[in-house]
Amino acid sequence: MTDSASVSITRCTWANPANPRYLAYHDEEWGQPCHDEVRLFEMLNLEGAQAGLSWETILNKRENYWRAFDGWNAKKIARYDQDKVASLLADAGIVRNRLKVAATITNAQAYLKLQAELGGLDAYLWAFVDGQPIQNQWTLLGGNPAKTPLSDRISKDLAKRGFKFVGSTIIYAYMQAIGMVNDHCVECYRHLAVQE
């Protein structure tokens, strides 16, 4: 889908056409309803890692994150010790921010509690939208918000449950990424595709 033949396709303006990773992410993943626990946990942490940075920076480091954080295995991450933290902070393949690394470990611990209580992020998150993505109708001219009352609610609830780097703006970006909301602009060829 992201080969040279697709260059003339209309996409959301944020998808950098010069970066094949970005186009693949836009075309195949962003806005597509996700129910995979590992990916839901991964994206929650990657969205938090993005705070203060561009999404493209994180996307370009995504494979390094996968390696560094044991394939996003929450049970392993929850048990990381100071030696592992030191190795992560020395890893140039990820964002070496002490607070963000610590947040990922805290999030793994909070995730395991949520999983025991509610079954996981899939059951927890999709209950907020009755299992159906919110279908928005934004245009190339914009209008989509940075946060919403729903992202405020989820953000507050996740924070109460012990999650870190889950502010409302981060959570709205997360909701877009995992397809809880379809924010592909109406002109984008993916707008209708993710509704199918």
Side-chain angles (χ1 to χ4, degrees):
M1 263 196 245
T2 56
D3 60 18
S4 58
S6 68
V7 172
S8 62
I9 290 172
T10 300
R11 292 183 172 89
C12 299
T13 56
W14 57 263
N16 179 359
N19 185 337
R21 264 193 200 103
Y22 222 148
L23 288 185
Y25 175 71
H26 171 274
D27 292 357
E28 299 160 18
E29 196 172 342
W30 192 79
Q32 188 69 36
C34 175
H35 299 281
D36 177 82
E37 282 297 313
V38 175
R39 185 163 166 263
L40 291 170
F41 181 66
E42 172 195 21
M43 293 307 294
L44 181 65
N45 286 290
L46 291 180
E47 290 291 351
Q50 181 198 351
L53 303 168
S54 73
W55 177 244
E56 193 165 12
T57 297
I58 301 302
L59 195 58
N60 288 336
K61 294 176 179 284
R62 189 176 185 183
E63 289 173 21
N64 297 327
Y65 270 95
W66 182 269
R67 173 192 45 76
F69 286 96
D70 292 297
W72 296 107
N73 182 320
K75 287 181 181 175
K76 285 186 179 179
I77 296 168
R79 295 190 309 266
Y80 282 178
D81 59 15
Q82 289 309 307
D83 289 343
K84 177 64 175 180
V85 170
S87 75
L88 289 168
L89 293 175
D91 188 338
I94 65 169
V95 175
R96 295 178 288 180
N97 177 297
R98 187 174 296 280
L99 291 176
K100 291 177 181 179
V101 168
T104 303
I105 298 166
T106 300
N107 287 351
Q109 295 162 350
Y111 168 74
L112 294 174
K113 288 178 191 165
L114 183 141
Q115 192 177 46
E117 183 187 339
L118 300 173
L121 284 167
D122 183 43
Y124 168 78
L125 292 165
W126 286 94
F128 283 97
V129 291
D130 296 324
Q132 294 298 314
I134 297 166
Q135 300 294 334
N136 287 323
Q137 300 292 316
W138 312 120
T139 69
L140 280 171
L141 298 174
N144 50 319
K147 60 182 186 168
T148 63
L150 180 55
S151 68
D152 290 345
R153 243 174 75 218
I154 296 171
S155 168
K156 284 177 189 165
D157 193 66
L158 285 169
K160 275 187 210 167
R161 293 175 182 276
F163 288 86
K164 303 292 182 195
F165 280 88
V166 289
S168 189
T169 301
I170 289 170
I171 293 305
Y172 192 70
Y174 178 54
M175 291 166 63
Q176 293 172 311
I178 63 167
M180 283 179 71
V181 293
N182 176 9
D183 273 355
H184 283 284
C185 63
V186 293
E187 298 91 343
C188 176
Y189 88 103
R190 293 295 297 156
H191 179 75
L192 290 176
V194 298
Q195 295 182 46
E196 295 170 353

